[in-house]
Amino acid sequence: LQISFPTQVQGEEGVKFRNWAGTYGSDPELFFQPGSVEELREILDLARQRGKRVKVVGGGHSPSDIACSQDFMIHMGKMNRVLQVDRERLQVTVEAGILLSELNLELDKHGMALANLGAVSEVTAAGVIGTGTHNTGIGHGILPTQVAALSLLLASGEILECSDSAHPEVFRAARLHLGCLGIVLSVTFRCVPEFRLREVAFPSTLPQVLDQLEQHLRRSQYFRFLWFPHSDNPPRSSSSWFWDYAVGYYLLEFLLWISSFVPALVPWINRAFFWLLFSSRAESVARSHRVFTYECRFRQHVQDWAIPIGKTKEALLELKAALERNSKMVAHFPVEVRFSRRDEIPLSPCFQRDSCFINVIMYRPYGKDIPRCDYWLTYEGIMRKHGGRPHWAKAHSCTRKDLEEMYPAFPEFCAIREKLDPTGIFLNAYLEKVFF
């Protein structure tokens, strides 16, 4: 059923939103897919008239409830154009709804690339900066650090052009905006000339990698490692279709489903899959965006916290020891360990410190939830102990009081949010837990 109003805007009833992981969802009263700024303004007007809130959704890949809304939901998929490519300045300006998979192909045509990308490319330009998407490389920041400018449609209907020279205080906050400062209309990214990456992957042990961490970080622009809990090996990535999908996907999902009834199988599954998939050295070369992104296999619960880089070894060994002490607490593979350079973005997990991100998962085979409470609480406790800050797109249990202690510039962001959106039209249940 579609409902039309006296203006051009149309809202659809009965749309059910579910995130990619299947961990959260909502049933918005009206779902909009606008194609212009004028339509967006009409949606905001209608929301004010009806006393409703508005939430913009991107690719829906965040495994938290950050994009959920029971009121109005806006999908920006029709506002996905490349607006300008500046080869001399190595910049590209795009509409907020473009997927990075589309942008990567467009940049290929112009001999340009983004210097770093997250693991998933089916995410929008506005969404990828909204939650602080990152990958790895201690010489590289999280993806919002690549933003040179952006434009915001405020709750008032005004458009604010933001950069280091125009409304710099808003720009500083809006590069990681949580969807609560306004509707991002366009983003200008700094780019680099196109490049190819040589990926060298090899098996090792967790103690060896941690002891040689500084050397690995110096030798590689984009160093990361994967640790298999209940084994002692951080593996390489597989490239065989048969092993990745016939074994690495279908067999893995089936065995993890079986392990939901017999949790003691998980350590054996982890060890077996390490030796099946990741037991030898491998090298490959490809365009940068094809190396950065990879298959996330199937639905999963995720936690991802950033700690000061100097705490990496201590935190991982504590997590390993906790799993070894408690045989009933199982952890799916892999624990992914990545690194990012410090920045000055108020809500960045890397605010004023070089950081290590430790990403833990529990798969949901065939959509089934596997008990994870003990693992989650243990992991969060270790991250908090070492000064951790949660990734905004992932599940976490932090309150405003916690976040004020973790993020020195949290009050600065709150003041900007309250100024730009005094009535809270862009809030939802997730953001109320953050700000109140």
Side-chain angles (χ1 to χ4, degrees):
L1 173 66
Q2 279 199 334
I3 298 179
S4 298
F5 304 101
T7 54
Q8 295 296 312
V9 69
Q10 291 186 328
E12 188 176 353
E13 288 185 329
V15 173
K16 294 182 181 295
F17 167 73
R18 296 292 180 271
N19 65 14
W20 175 84
T23 50
Y24 290 94
S26 62
D27 303 305
E29 182 178 321
L30 289 174
F31 182 83
F32 297 90
Q33 299 185 74
S36 67
V37 174
E38 291 72 24
E39 289 185 33
L40 285 169
R41 285 197 175 107
E42 290 169 6
I43 295 167
L44 292 179
D45 288 342
L46 184 66
R48 278 191 292 270
Q49 293 167 20
R50 295 194 178 184
K52 301 295 182 181
R53 289 175 169 175
V54 173
K55 178 49 57 182
V56 179
V57 63
H61 268 267
S62 297
S64 71
D65 55 342
I66 190 170
C68 293
S69 174
Q70 297 300 127
D71 289 357
F72 290 1
M73 182 174 283
I74 296 174
H75 187 275
M76 298 286 281
K78 292 183 178 178
M79 299 180 71
N80 66 342
R81 294 176 300 159
V82 175
L83 299 175
Q84 184 180 22
V85 178
D86 188 332
R87 294 190 187 187
E88 287 189 9
R89 300 178 67 189
L90 285 175
Q91 293 186 353
V92 60
T93 302
V94 296
E95 288 186 311
I98 193 171
L99 296 175
L100 290 196
S101 57
E102 300 167 339
L103 176 56
N104 290 334
L105 296 179
E106 188 66 27
L107 290 175
D108 281 348
K109 299 175 186 176
H110 297 279
M112 296 162 59
L114 293 173
N116 208 347
L117 289 165
V120 178
S121 59
E122 298 305 306
V123 289
T124 62
V128 81
I129 66 171
T131 55
T133 297
H134 69 95
N135 201 325
T136 196
I138 198 56
H140 299 270
I142 62 175
L143 266 62
T145 63
Q146 299 176 150
V147 175
L150 56 82
S151 61
L152 273 177
L153 177 64
L154 304 183
S156 64
E158 174 191 0
I159 294 177
L160 206 62
E161 302 288 347
C162 305
S163 66
D164 283 331
S165 57
H167 306 288
E169 71 292 339
V170 175
F171 177 63
R172 207 164 90 94
R175 282 186 294 170
L176 201 165
H177 53 77
L178 299 184
C180 66
L181 302 182
I183 299 175
V184 177
L185 299 176
S186 66
V187 182
T188 299
F189 288 103
R190 297 185 188 91
C191 301
V192 296
E194 66 176 341
F195 63 105
R196 296 168 72 82
L197 278 176
R198 181 168 67 100
E199 182 179 28
V200 180
F202 55 92
S204 184
T205 68
L206 182 61
Q208 285 174 340
V209 172
L210 293 174
D211 287 344
Q212 299 169 10
L213 184 57
E214 288 188 17
Q215 295 170 327
H216 287 306
L217 291 171
R218 283 198 307 268
R219 291 173 181 170
S220 171
Q221 274 205 57
Y222 302 99
F223 178 72
R224 68 166 182 152
F225 66 90
L226 310 178
W227 168 48
F228 275 33
H230 313 295
S231 77
D232 198 27
N233 302 90
R236 69 173 178 86
S237 297
S238 168
S239 59
S240 156
W241 179 92
F242 175 75
W243 292 112
D244 271 359
Y245 292 94
V247 174
Y249 187 106
Y250 297 109
L251 179 58
L252 174 60
E253 185 168 26
F254 175 72
L255 291 177
L256 289 175
W257 179 77
I258 293 293
S259 75
S260 69
F261 304 101
V262 188
L265 289 174
V266 170
W268 296 97
I269 292 170
N270 286 9
R271 292 175 200 140
F273 271 79
F274 170 76
W275 290 110
L276 276 172
L277 300 173
F278 309 113
S279 59
S280 62
R281 181 184 177 93
E283 294 190 23
S284 61
V285 177
R287 282 185 182 271
S288 56
H289 61 83
R290 299 192 184 280
V291 176
F292 287 134
T293 58
Y294 52 86
E295 173 63 54
C296 286
R297 301 193 187 276
F298 44 90
R299 303 178 192 281
Q300 54 199 248
H301 290 281
V302 187
Q303 285 235 48
D304 190 17
W305 286 52
I307 57 175
I309 197 167
K311 299 290 187 178
T312 303
K313 180 176 181 178
E314 192 176 350
L316 279 168
L317 291 180
E318 279 190 38
L319 183 60
K320 182 176 185 289
L323 290 168
E324 290 172 350
R325 281 195 309 269
N326 187 347
S327 61
K328 294 183 179 179
M329 184 167 65
V330 296
H332 290 169
F333 70 82
V335 172
E336 184 175 19
V337 184
R338 293 175 285 180
F339 305 89
S340 287
R341 187 188 63 212
R342 68 182 64 204
D343 59 52
E344 296 294 329
I345 299 172
L347 291 191
S348 168
C350 302
F351 182 75
Q352 295 183 343
R353 69 187 196 193
D354 291 341
S355 298
C356 166
F357 284 88
I358 299 176
N359 183 95
V360 298
I361 62 174
M362 288 296 282
Y363 290 115
R364 303 181 62 240
Y366 308 121
K368 181 175 182 178
D369 280 333
I370 307 295
R372 65 188 187 284
C373 185
D374 288 349
Y375 183 30
W376 254 219
L377 290 174
T378 299
Y379 165 84
E380 273 205 6
I382 293 170
M383 295 298 102
R384 288 173 184 266
K385 173 184 174 181
H386 293 292
R389 298 169 181 162
H391 188 324
W392 293 103
K394 311 297 172 61
H396 62 81
S397 62
C398 299
T399 63
R400 172 164 178 157
K401 182 180 178 182
D402 296 327
L403 296 167
E404 285 175 339
E405 294 174 357
M406 294 171 176
Y407 291 87
F410 193 81
E412 174 190 335
F413 185 94
C414 290
I416 292 170
R417 188 202 69 77
E418 290 161 9
K419 179 181 178 181
L420 297 185
D421 184 22
T423 64
I425 196 171
F426 296 117
L427 294 178
N428 64 356
Y430 173 99
L431 293 171
E432 284 181 340
K433 289 183 288 186
V434 169
F435 295 115
F436 300 103

